[in-house]
Amino acid sequence: MTRRAATDQATSARRTVEDLLQRVQHRLTSFLAAERAHYAEVHEHAVVAIDALADLAAAGGKLLRPAFCLTGYLAAGGDPAEPGIVDAAAALELLHISALVHDDVLDDSRTRRGKPAVHVLHTTLHRTRGWQGESRRFGEGVALLVGDLALVYSDELMAGAPRGAFAEWHRLRSEVMIGQYMDVAAAAEFSVDPDLSRLIALIKSGRYTIHRPLVLGASAAGRTDLAGALAHYGEAVGEAFQLRDDLLDAFGDAARTGKTAGLDFSQHKMTLLLGWAMQRDSRIHDLITEPGHTPDEIRARLLDTGVPADVEQHIAHLVDQGCAALADAPLEPQWRAQLTDMALRVAYRDK
Amino acid sequence: MTRRAATDQATSARRTVEDLLQRVQHRLTSFLAAERAHYAEVHEHAVVAIDALADLAAAGGKLLRPAFCLTGYLAAGGDPAEPGIVDAAAALELLHISALVHDDVLDDSRTRRGKPAVHVLHTTLHRTRGWQGESRRFGEGVALLVGDLALVYSDELMAGAPRGAFAEWHRLRSEVMIGQYMDVAAAAEFSVDPDLSRLIALIKSGRYTIHRPLVLGASAAGRTDLAGALAHYGEAVGEAFQLRDDLLDAFGDAARTGKTAGLDFSQHKMTLLLGWAMQRDSRIHDLITEPGHTPDEIRARLLDTGVPADVEQHIAHLVDQGCAALADAPLEPQWRAQLTDMALRVAYRDK
């Protein structure tokens, strides 16, 4: 199916998803506002962490995980009027906000959603006010607690979800934490191992962002029979998503992404892009690990390997493969079209 | 009631609690072993975070929160054969392990349960192996993820608990995160404010360790009518618990506690003990914030204020007050005796 045809067929399905996404955003806002009202009675300090979460929720992310969850649910015939699925989708977004806040500490990323990352903001605040102790420990400590609070709240929202969603929710969460550890460990060791890079991309991106949210949604609608097809789709499209992430980090526009650019270089992330490039040109390993090389120098050398162009081709192949996995699944045409459209959107996004 | 009489009366009740605590420990061990088996199939790196949790669980803490949860449940007439209450108690312990791992990063505490703290262990590993990046960021990042994993697993365990437990579980968790933030912020500002110190002690210690685990247990048994009396008991005994914590940090034996001693001094924790002492002797503020003063110097000056002796008296008063709050509650004598015994044990512990 061409991109245009898929987009047209998916219009009504997409509209239903978008309506529900607005309810998800509203659920998040009103949940955090109720918590804020509760803790405002306690002490002025008691609302600081909640306000940090509300700011991130309001800054508006891509809502990819809620969108896949809702799509999985609706494609499986779930009732759009069921409030529990809005809770589940809101829980996925708050879990993601937690992961972002903690991730930014792990990577020492300076900006998020176009603003200073939580740890950066509070490190600066500590320094400006001349408070006791080390500014870095304070700022990173606050981010640690803000992320913990988001993790706890995500779970509180999930309590309202349909029971069928829970097994996938549990697996998704432990898996993303373990995937993150594997990513951090691989960056520290920085040995070229594309199989490991691919496994990490599968676990911490493909499954977390696409496969499990989709299956969680379908399971919430009681349709475990769709799990196999959605898993194949999610893993392929998820790998495409991660490869696009690698390309955006290396070559994207920080003003568009709202994130620090070139972070994979400075944090020695053993991404698939870098792993493949290093297999062709071992000098890239040195450019990244030796001090004094600019991101532009690394970018130029990367382009010389031809790997970025190959990665583009591979992304196209993965999208085809993901969509083909749905060919025989018992899905209505509008939902197959919506999933095709979503695959194209995540694989060809610019932020 | 004298300590001896309370202890005797509580013997059979305590035995029931201790039997259940063994099942809690076993549930934790087998849950983590099953997760380890699952992730061992994925990659050798995928089990590192789980092993860190299993080590902490095996090192054996005081299991205070599980003990209060089980006591609340049994005192409220809950069925000891119900597996859900073991899940709830195990969830509280794993939540606590998460808090300890993250706390040790916040406070840069070097040892925990007699071993190097998680972030210390992984910082050292990174340095020894000569890995890429900053050793501190790696070690603290691993601790962040290990704590996140414990938080997620605690919730997974809680999924098996009786429904009545959930409201208290949710409040307990957000409250402890917010209390931790308030503690960190108060340490940074380091202004003498015993009302704020007391509020923080109430939120992050009294409610988290005693009041809410008790009420969670009683609610799991369907007895919300006990909530008021258990809250009064828990808040008073919880304050005694925190005051003992302050004394142990200042004057305790690190070999007994398994924790770094004098951390409240080095981390500028505005504890109740220090707040009161500074109200009597403002020089203590300087001893703590100026570099170059030894813990022994601060300890001697603290003793001179007479505050530690007053705190001992206050602890005794709080224990009386907490136990008096149970006088008219509809509890069987053996459970009232067990709660009295537990109050004495937490208020007069040496680790």
Side-chain angles (χ1 to χ4, degrees):
Chain A
M1 194 183 313
T2 66
R3 178 166 192 172
R4 178 59 186 276
T7 304
D8 289 350
Q9 276 200 33
T11 303
S12 98
R14 189 207 282 198
R15 203 165 288 153
T16 314
V17 174
E18 281 173 0
D19 286 350
L20 278 175
L21 280 176
Q22 287 198 353
R23 286 173 53 202
V24 170
Q25 190 75 49
H26 181 258
R27 179 79 175 98
L28 271 178
T29 309
S30 58
F31 175 86
L32 292 172
E35 281 296 298
R36 192 190 198 283
H38 174 85
Y39 282 106
E41 305 274 316
V42 175
H43 193 270
E44 55 175 326
H45 285 178
V47 299
V48 173
I50 299 172
D51 286 347
L53 296 181
D55 284 350
L56 275 164
K62 296 182 283 285
L63 296 178
L64 276 183
R65 294 141 202 95
F68 278 110
C69 167
L70 296 169
T71 301
Y73 177 78
L74 294 166
D79 174 7
E82 156 66 44
I85 197 64
V86 172
D87 285 357
L92 282 165
E93 184 58 15
L94 213 38
L95 171 69
H96 188 56
I97 288 176
S98 168
L100 294 178
V101 173
H102 282 179
D103 234 28
D104 287 345
V105 175
L106 293 175
D107 293 345
D108 196 21
S109 179
R110 314 307 292 170
T111 53
R112 175 61 69 182
R113 295 188 173 175
K115 293 182 179 177
V118 174
H119 72 288
V120 172
L121 191 72
H122 288 270
T123 300
T124 307
L125 191 70
H126 186 278
R127 192 173 295 132
T128 313
R129 303 263 170 100
W131 282 338
Q132 297 294 323
E134 187 201 23
S135 298
R136 170 178 170 181
R137 189 163 302 284
F138 179 82
E140 293 183 7
V142 172
L144 191 154
L145 293 169
V146 167
D148 283 355
L149 186 65
L151 195 48
V152 154
Y153 278 156
S154 78
D155 207 71
E156 201 165 329
L157 278 165
M158 196 67 194
R163 306 307 302 163
F166 280 77
E168 206 65 19
W169 170 245
H170 290 148
R171 188 50 71 205
L172 178 154
R173 286 187 309 168
S174 62
E175 203 171 57
V176 71
M177 302 310 171
I178 285 169
Q180 290 276 70
Y181 169 80
M182 291 172 69
D183 194 31
V184 166
E189 297 188 355
F190 206 61
S191 51
V192 179
D193 182 349
D195 284 347
L196 178 59
S197 298
R198 201 163 175 181
L199 178 64
I200 292 171
L202 171 72
I203 291 180
K204 64 163 264 191
S205 298
R207 289 200 191 146
Y208 168 64
T209 302
I210 304 181
H211 158 192
R212 295 210 188 275
L214 267 176
V215 174
L216 191 157
S219 307
R223 288 284 299 279
T224 48
D225 61 304
L226 291 171
L230 293 177
H232 285 128
Y233 165 92
E235 294 192 353
V237 178
E239 190 177 343
F241 169 83
Q242 181 58 47
L243 288 169
R244 176 63 57 201
D245 220 51
D246 296 353
L247 288 173
L248 285 171
D249 183 83
F251 302 104
D253 174 5
R256 286 288 301 155
T257 61
K259 296 189 276 201
T260 313
L263 213 62
D264 292 342
F265 304 157
S266 63
Q267 293 298 316
H268 314 106
K269 283 294 161 79
M270 186 48 76
T271 63
L272 263 173
L273 172 70
L274 292 178
W276 284 327
M278 286 178 214
Q279 282 191 318
R280 287 201 203 158
D281 177 357
S282 62
R283 176 82 188 116
I284 291 174
H285 187 282
D286 305 333
L287 289 182
I288 288 175
T289 54
E290 291 167 6
H293 299 287
T294 65
D296 279 342
E297 203 179 338
I298 303 170
R299 268 190 277 271
R301 191 93 186 193
L302 269 180
L303 287 171
D304 284 346
T305 62
V307 167
D310 291 354
V311 165
E312 281 292 355
Q313 276 207 323
H314 191 52
I315 288 175
H317 168 72
L318 285 164
V319 169
D320 284 348
Q321 194 185 321
C323 296
L326 302 178
D328 300 323
L331 289 168
E332 282 179 41
Q334 64 165 333
W335 291 109
R336 192 172 293 117
Q338 159 75 356
L339 285 163
T340 302
D341 183 54
M342 288 179 81
L344 292 164
R345 280 194 287 145
V346 301
Y348 295 103
R349 73 196 193 279
D350 66 354
K351 63 175 185 174
Chain B
M1 192 184 313
T2 65
R3 181 168 190 170
R4 178 60 186 275
T7 304
D8 288 351
Q9 277 200 32
T11 303
S12 97
R14 191 207 282 198
R15 203 164 288 153
T16 315
V17 174
E18 280 172 1
D19 286 350
L20 278 174
L21 281 175
Q22 287 197 354
R23 286 173 52 201
V24 170
Q25 191 73 49
H26 182 260
R27 179 78 175 98
L28 271 178
T29 310
S30 58
F31 174 86
L32 292 171
E35 283 295 299
R36 192 190 198 284
H38 173 85
Y39 282 106
E41 305 275 316
V42 175
H43 193 268
E44 56 175 325
H45 284 180
V47 299
V48 173
I50 300 172
D51 287 345
L53 296 180
D55 284 349
L56 275 164
K62 297 183 282 286
L63 296 178
L64 277 183
R65 295 144 202 93
F68 279 110
C69 166
L70 295 169
T71 301
Y73 176 78
L74 295 165
D79 173 9
E82 157 65 45
I85 198 64
V86 172
D87 285 356
L92 281 166
E93 184 58 13
L94 213 38
L95 171 69
H96 189 56
I97 288 176
S98 167
L100 295 177
V101 173
H102 282 178
D103 235 27
D104 287 345
V105 175
L106 292 175
D107 295 344
D108 197 21
S109 180
R110 315 305 294 169
T111 53
R112 173 63 66 182
R113 296 188 173 174
K115 292 184 180 176
V118 174
H119 72 288
V120 172
L121 191 72
H122 288 270
T123 299
T124 308
L125 191 69
H126 186 278
R127 193 172 295 132
T128 314
R129 303 263 169 103
W131 282 338
Q132 295 296 322
E134 188 201 22
S135 298
R136 170 176 171 183
R137 189 163 303 282
F138 179 81
E140 293 184 7
V142 172
L144 192 154
L145 294 170
V146 167
D148 283 355
L149 186 66
L151 195 49
V152 154
Y153 278 155
S154 78
D155 207 73
E156 202 164 326
L157 279 165
M158 195 68 192
R163 306 306 304 162
F166 281 77
E168 208 64 19
W169 170 245
H170 291 147
R171 187 52 70 205
L172 179 154
R173 286 188 308 167
S174 62
E175 204 171 58
V176 72
M177 302 310 171
I178 284 169
Q180 289 277 69
Y181 168 79
M182 291 173 68
D183 195 31
V184 166
E189 297 188 355
F190 206 61
S191 51
V192 179
D193 181 350
D195 285 346
L196 178 59
S197 297
R198 203 163 173 180
L199 178 63
I200 293 170
L202 172 72
I203 292 180
K204 65 163 263 191
S205 298
R207 290 201 189 143
Y208 167 64
T209 302
I210 304 181
H211 159 192
R212 296 210 187 275
L214 268 175
V215 175
L216 191 156
S219 307
R223 288 283 299 279
T224 49
D225 61 304
L226 290 171
L230 294 176
H232 285 130
Y233 165 92
E235 293 193 352
V237 178
E239 191 176 342
F241 170 82
Q242 181 57 48
L243 287 169
R244 177 62 57 202
D245 220 51
D246 297 354
L247 288 173
L248 285 172
D249 183 83
F251 304 104
D253 174 4
R256 284 290 299 156
T257 62
K259 296 188 277 202
T260 312
L263 213 61
D264 293 341
F265 306 156
S266 63
Q267 293 297 317
H268 314 106
K269 281 294 161 79
M270 186 47 77
T271 63
L272 262 173
L273 172 69
L274 292 178
W276 284 327
M278 285 179 216
Q279 280 189 319
R280 288 201 203 157
D281 178 356
S282 61
R283 178 81 188 116
I284 291 174
H285 187 281
D286 305 334
L287 289 182
I288 288 174
T289 54
E290 291 167 6
H293 299 287
T294 65
D296 280 341
E297 203 179 336
I298 303 170
R299 270 190 276 271
R301 191 95 188 193
L302 269 180
L303 287 170
D304 284 345
T305 62
V307 167
D310 291 353
V311 165
E312 281 293 354
Q313 277 207 321
H314 191 52
I315 288 175
H317 168 71
L318 285 165
V319 169
D320 285 348
Q321 194 184 320
C323 295
L326 301 179
D328 300 324
L331 289 168
E332 282 179 42
Q334 63 165 335
W335 291 108
R336 193 173 292 118
Q338 159 75 356
L339 284 163
T340 302
D341 183 53
M342 288 181 82
L344 291 163
R345 281 195 285 145
V346 300
Y348 296 102
R349 74 195 193 281
D350 66 353
K351 63 176 185 173

